[in-house]
Amino acid sequence: MSRAVDALLRPRLMALAIGLAAPLASPALFAAEQSAVRAYDVPAGPLASTLNQIASQAGIALALDPALASGRTSAPVNGQYNGVGALQAALLGTGLQLQQGSAGSYSLVAVENNAIALPTTDINASLASVDGSAAAGYRAENVRNVGALGAMKLQDTPYSMSVVSQEFLKNTQTTSLDDVFKRNPATQLYGPRAAGYASAVAIRGFSGSGNMNIANDGLRFSNGADAGNFIEDTEQLEIITGLTGFLYGPATPGGLINYVLKRPTYERYNSVTLGNAGGDNYYLHGDFGGKIDEAGVFAYRLNVLTQDGETAIDLQKHRRQMISAALDWNVNDDLQIQFDASHRKNQMRGLSSYWFVPAGVERPDASSLKNDKLYSQKWSFSDNETDKAGVRANWRLNDTFTLRAAFAAQQYTDEFTYTGPTMVTATTYRQPIYAFAPIETEEKSGSLFLDAAFATGSLQHKMTVGYQGNTSRVKQYEDHIPYPSWQYQSPVGTVPIGEQPQVGKPGWSIGHGDQRLANSAESNNFLLGDIITFNEQWSTILGVTQTQIKSYTNEFVYAKAFNQPETETKYNKSKTSPNISIIYKPVHWLTTYVTYIEGLQSGSVAPSDALNAGQALAPQVSEQYEVGVKATVGETLLTLALFNIDKPNNYKNSQGFYVQDGRQENNGMEFSVTGKVTPELTVVGGVTLLDPKIKKGEIAANDGNAPTNVAKQLAKVYSEYEITEVPGLALTGGAYYTGKQYTDEANRTSLPSFTTFDAGARYKLRMDDSAVTFRVNVANLTNKQYWLNSFYLGDPRTLQFSAQLEF
């Protein structure tokens, strides 16, 4: 972005944030905040130790002044409280009370004459709704990992974020990210998991299989590792749209999904769910947790899953298996160490068809195809097997410093073969084979952060300094593809689109040659950040990262197959990137912000059809300006974000070389609503409007055009209505609109917009100390036939149902 535009945009974004806040700043709309409710049994003890223990468990940023806390003893905390309520209970009789800053952090202030002032949140919160629960309208208060900054209140994060809670995942019978992206108003599903890959998504105008970044409990992993992530052992999903470089290290500009693993419970919890994911595909999921010893020094969580059967698409089968365990070791009040390990298998037979329509060939209308039929072969397959293990520790060194450390490693093997239908004419197609030997990947990710909570005069600080990094190594066989055997040939010849012939699998043999390192990558990210609270209204987040990216690539597979010389590419680049956020809270329930953030990402690798195939381009830097408003009105969270993202553009030029040239600039608006509109009605949804443009691409005439497979409008709403006359019964449903998408860079051809509907119900029956919940949902209720994008048909009407026993 030019300096002139930069100078013009920054003050206007700030003015807009304040302007948007002004009309909402009405005391009549004031809403008290509620945090997650949990059982506390904390004896009286040193005040600083007790408060830090509660704040750590509740994910509350607490800045303690040692002089205030020194020599004071906390009151005992026994019972059901939210996090803030538990802190207030511990402060009873100490002559101190909590004071909330504009960034959502808390500090201590002395009460005049030792009087007890009324807290901003009820001390006894036993009746408050659990964070992210259906009773709370799925409105989550807290984010577990805002990257390196750690836990923060969702309303006070100066980034566009949303939280998908465990109960929302359960009640919508979500078994993969596909369903999450379908319902989220800021995400557009790009590639379904039934195609054999990890879920792919378009966010903020950036589409493609590598557009989504992945983290597990705040640790970064590659996009390919997402095939080994399951919803069933996930506590919540934290979705950030836009750049995340300052928070998580090198990343693409679209957005990031952070999986938060289910942690041990300290009360006995047992849950067994028997369900149907569509067609004849059934699953059994067990979720168990509790204390190992009476004192709760050790606690566990165990999730097991088995799933198998034919899906709603004819001849397609899906099998999953998982065992996932987590262990907490509460060494003392100041140190907690957590462990986790898992083994997962994900197998698909009869992959969803990846359609290719060459230039000049008319695309068939979706209604002329059958969305419940398989246009590939039933022997096409995708297998993923993943083993993971991790350890993390949170150690409060003293009243000022806390040390956070985490490390995780995973090893996974992918193997897949598919037949991708390729149009020959408007009415005929072929099924060329794309077969690949197993690919083995090892990844490691770690972080080490030191947090310091202190005051300098009237300013409150929560400073973080530390390191985050990850490595990956990918091994492939030299005979990775069956070429010149069956690769790219059609086993069915050319057939009419009204036919889906099945034939036997041709014979080929691959994956028996030498196994070599195909690519490796390493990123090292050193960070310094500070959340500075000036007063109750104003705060800022200032940060800087020094990022190093090392990469090695050798495209020996296609070089050997096509008798070309091998291409090795190495680079080692570093970049310093800033983050600047200004946060203004005119009233307690309203947050406005302006954020500037930069993101460094690894360079793209030239595709196999480029003259420089296998060459890795240099790392590239993207920039983002964002202005946002977040308001808690009653029991509903409203968010609005306006953004501008500018990133380098990659393409194959007219000479046949893959180059980095030109820019892509995306402007847009995201609006969302989450919570209870009335005591009976819950609404989760929103709208996204985009203006994405390619600048200085391969063809000058296409400058200013929109990128392919990106919808400029998304509008989605999911809702639940509780039938008060029948306690436990709720009707559910949703409507999901995706605007038209261009299929070519010249923007001459496009896919029509589409809207799909869901309808369902849920009934929860309580029996003494147990409960049974029945759920049913029909996705794509009207059996709408549509193109999801240039490559995939939308899913058919699918009936899902389940029964869950909690005891």
Side-chain angles (χ1 to χ4, degrees), residues 317-320 345-349 382-384:
K317 295 182 178 181
H318 191 195
R319 174 184 293 175
R320 293 192 301 152
K345 280 188 176 182
N346 192 355
Q347 300 172 307
M348 183 74 69
R349 297 293 180 268
S382 171
D383 287 348
N384 173 274

Side-chain angles (χ1 to χ4, degrees), residues 97-117:
Q97 72 173 22
L98 288 179
Q99 176 175 282
Q100 185 177 17
S102 60
S105 61
Y106 288 85
S107 59
L108 296 183
V109 294
V111 180
E112 187 176 356
N113 296 326
N114 226 20
I116 298 180

